[in-house]
Amino acid sequence: MSVNTLPSIRYSLNVIKDEARQLVERGVISRQQPIYTLCEYIPPREWVCVECELEECDFLLRDRIGDLIGCEHWAND
């Protein structure tokens, strides 16, 4: 008997940063919230992959989203 499993999705750090940046730009989340806030916007099956990638890149779930996405650049200063 064989078991069909879905392929594991690999989230790169850049993809995670882009997702977080888009949520911040839309005003859904703020830069001051902890990274684990993102779990509300990523499906649970995929969140495990996100956690692993963040851990490999030395991010803690309690770190701020602002630390993850870095500084913002303003075009009209």
Side-chain angles (χ1 to χ4, degrees):
M1 181 168 143
S2 66
V3 176
N4 293 332
T5 59
L6 294 174
S8 177
I9 298 172
R10 178 78 172 144
Y11 273 81
S12 70
L13 186 60
N14 287 333
V15 169
I16 297 167
K17 286 180 179 184
D18 289 342
E19 291 288 332
R21 192 174 292 113
Q22 289 175 14
L23 289 168
V24 169
E25 287 173 359
R26 291 189 345 227
V28 176
I29 59 176
S30 77
R31 297 174 58 84
Q32 289 73 37
Q33 289 180 282
I35 291 173
Y36 67 78
T37 304
L38 296 174
C39 75
E40 296 176 29
Y41 306 96
I42 297 174
R45 178 179 289 158
E46 297 173 12
W47 179 249
V48 174
C49 300
V50 171
E51 278 188 271
C52 290
E53 182 67 18
L54 290 168
E55 184 178 309
E56 287 177 15
C57 296
D58 294 325
F59 283 100
L60 301 173
L61 295 180
R62 66 176 181 244
D63 291 344
R64 301 288 172 218
I65 290 173
D67 296 336
L68 175 66
I69 62 176
C71 61
E72 294 177 301
H73 298 284
W74 298 91
N76 59 350
D77 272 348

